[in-house]
Amino acid sequence: EIVMTQSPAILSVSPGERATLSCRASQSVTSNFAWYQQKPGQAPRLLIYGASTRATGLPGRFSGSGSGTEFTLTISSLQSEDFGLYYCQQYDNWPYTFGQGTKLEIK
Amino acid sequence: VQLVESGGGLVKPGGSLTLSCAASGFTFDNAWMSWVRQAPAKGLEWVGRSKSKSDGGTTDYAAPVKGRIIISRYDSKNTLYLQMNSLTTEDTAVYYCLYHDSSGVDHWGQGTLVTVSS
């Protein structure tokens, strides 16, 4: 099974600042990779798929990059609604797997 | 796309439960579908997936649940099922139904809570 490792576990950022979240795969997942955001009591929300394609309606301040084993989610100017839990996920090999999550909190 | 899960609830350890996912807004019989779960205050875990009949109609299961769950689908009713047996407290989670569309986008339902407790 491919292990997805996210860093950092907790990221404290002030509104308006840039946030960079990372995810590493234990083996190559090519570009079969996604980022999700989750708020308490809600289902995960797809942000990025194909490593760099924004989901419909996602603001342009979100961007995804990377391929193979190293991936990054960048939020260029944090808004209050961006705080929450973020998960990475690979869908290159079964079983599909998620990272353990990064909590993005207000500094 | 709309996915509506149902069938969650309280079940005793060792018991069984079947969840349903009613799908609409897409061609269900061509769709790959999955179940993902999330234990309270824990991360996300893929449970299993069901391929479309045109892609073989097979199912794949994650190791922690293999042998205890069966994913099935009733294409004419646009419904996906998750039958769970020999439940333990570790199966307590919100169970989400997912549709994988052809562009690579995953669509999620709102989830149904399964609580395994005596």
Side-chain angles (χ1 to χ4, degrees):
Chain A
E1 150 173 332
I2 296 176
V3 177
M4 308 299 287
T5 303
Q6 292 185 241
S7 60
I10 301 175
L11 182 60
S12 298
V13 181
S14 300
E17 291 189 342
R18 182 187 200 90
T20 302
L21 290 70
S22 298
C23 183
R24 173 177 292 177
S26 60
Q27 66 187 71
S28 176
V29 298
T30 60
S31 293
N32 293 317
F33 179 90
W35 287 102
Y36 286 89
Q37 177 196 66
Q38 190 176 34
K39 300 283 181 75
Q42 296 182 17
R45 171 196 179 194
L46 178 68
L47 302 175
I48 301 286
Y49 62 98
S52 60
T53 302
R54 276 193 295 271
T56 302
L58 188 69
R61 63 181 181 272
F62 289 86
S63 63
S65 63
S67 67
T69 62
E70 300 283 344
F71 300 88
T72 301
L73 176 69
T74 302
I75 310 171
S76 59
S77 177
L78 273 163
Q79 306 297 303
S80 59
E81 62 267 29
D82 299 335
F83 295 95
L85 265 172
Y86 288 76
Y87 292 98
C88 64
Q89 180 232 325
Q90 68 83 17
Y91 49 95
D92 191 70
N93 275 291
W94 183 260
Y96 303 154
T97 46
F98 293 92
Q100 81 282 13
T102 290
K103 183 179 181 181
L104 181 55
E105 61 179 27
I106 300 174
K107 189 173 183 179
Chain B
V1 173
Q2 191 171 16
L3 302 166
V4 179
E5 302 94 337
S6 61
L10 177 63
V11 60
K12 287 182 168 47
S16 299
L17 200 63
T18 297
L19 308 181
S20 301
C21 171
S24 60
F26 61 97
T27 305
F28 184 80
D29 54 2
N30 286 344
W32 287 36
M33 304 291 295
S34 286
W35 290 97
V36 169
R37 68 182 180 182
Q38 186 171 35
K42 298 290 186 184
L44 298 160
E45 179 183 34
W46 221 283
V47 173
R49 68 179 179 183
S50 168
K51 297 180 182 178
S52 62
K53 200 166 287 184
S54 60
D55 287 317
T58 55
T59 51
D60 298 296
Y61 302 108
V65 297
K66 199 169 185 177
R68 296 191 300 117
I69 71 164
I70 298 172
I71 294 175
S72 60
R73 58 196 294 161
Y74 201 148
D75 286 351
S76 63
K77 288 189 172 182
N78 288 355
T79 304
L80 181 74
Y81 299 97
L82 175 63
Q83 179 184 334
M84 301 184 289
N85 305 307
S86 304
L87 287 162
T88 74
T89 55
E90 295 191 354
D91 295 314
T92 293
V94 175
Y95 285 74
Y96 295 101
C97 171
L98 274 68
Y99 156 55
H100 315 287
D101 78 19
S102 57
S103 65
V105 173
D106 283 346
H107 303 264
W108 294 59
Q110 283 306 300
T112 187
L113 176 63
V114 173
T115 303
V116 184
S117 174
S118 55

